[in-house]
Amino acid sequence: HLYHRQGDYKRILKELEPSRFSKGTLSEQEIGHLNLWIAEANLALQKYEKALLSYQAASKVSALRQEASVGMAKTYMAQGQYSKAKEHLDKAITQHATGPSSKRSESSKRSLQGQIALYYHDLTTADFAFKKALELNSRNVDASFGLAYLAFLKQDMKMLKERVEVLVKLDPAH
């Protein structure tokens, strides 16, 4: 997790190299989590095919299917394959998150749903999805940016100013 927070994705891939682990030393769940981390690193490095393979491997663990579906949606979106992204996101939305991160996970899915809706020029769905994402996680930068972009498209300068102010508070570096 430390390397992920630091953005050192090449090091993640080196540390998680499957050959470093003895056969039978990891549970199926642990292997699934390793595949998710490898997929995220490959996605960040724009190695999309490798990311998809790792997400597919992670999806074999039932508890990780939803997260893997979201990851595949992000990967397809990064490649501009919006219909495949929507297909995997729809699959993820039908799978219910559980546990302490469920609200954050649901917020991320709704934000991604809003981004896909923007691609299809469905502003009503995008607006609903971004607002739902913020209801679930008020610190969701992507959803805040999505609402700011919608305000820009609608030429609602008052709302745009409000959204930009929120974004500056959430992520002062940008």
Side-chain angles (χ1 to χ4, degrees), residues 36 40 43 55 64-77 85 88-93 95 105-106 108-110 112:
L36 283 177
E40 290 292 325
L43 177 58
Y55 282 127
L64 303 176
R65 280 195 188 115
Q66 181 183 52
E67 196 171 345
S69 292
V70 170
M72 285 188 266
K74 289 190 302 189
T75 305
Y76 283 121
M77 201 163 156
H88 284 281
L89 182 63
D90 289 345
K91 193 183 301 184
I93 287 172
Q95 300 162 344
S105 174
E106 187 67 23
S108 294
K109 286 189 297 186
R110 294 301 175 175
L112 191 57

Side-chain angles (χ1 to χ4, degrees), residues 91-105:
K91 193 183 301 184
I93 287 172
T94 62
Q95 300 162 344
H96 299 289
T98 57
S101 65
S102 63
K103 279 191 173 185
R104 194 171 53 248
S105 174

Side-chain angles (χ1 to χ4, degrees), residues 124-136:
T124 303
T125 300
D127 185 65
F128 173 81
F130 290 134
K131 286 178 178 172
K132 183 68 176 172
L134 287 173
E135 277 178 32
L136 294 163

Side-chain angles (χ1 to χ4, degrees), residues 2-17:
L2 174 64
Y3 301 136
H4 193 273
R5 282 194 297 267
Q6 293 173 343
D8 193 351
Y9 300 108
K10 288 181 182 178
R11 187 158 185 188
I12 289 171
L13 293 175
K14 183 179 176 188
E15 294 291 325
L16 298 180
E17 175 63 38

Side-chain angles (χ1 to χ4, degrees), residues 104 106-112 115 130 133-134 137-145 163 166-167 170:
R104 194 171 53 248
E106 187 67 23
S107 177
S108 294
K109 286 189 297 186
R110 294 301 175 175
S111 183
L112 191 57
Q115 292 170 32
F130 290 134
L134 287 173
N137 176 9
S138 63
R139 301 195 52 78
N140 185 323
V141 174
D142 292 334
S144 290
F145 180 82
R163 288 284 105 205
V166 168
L167 278 167
L170 289 176

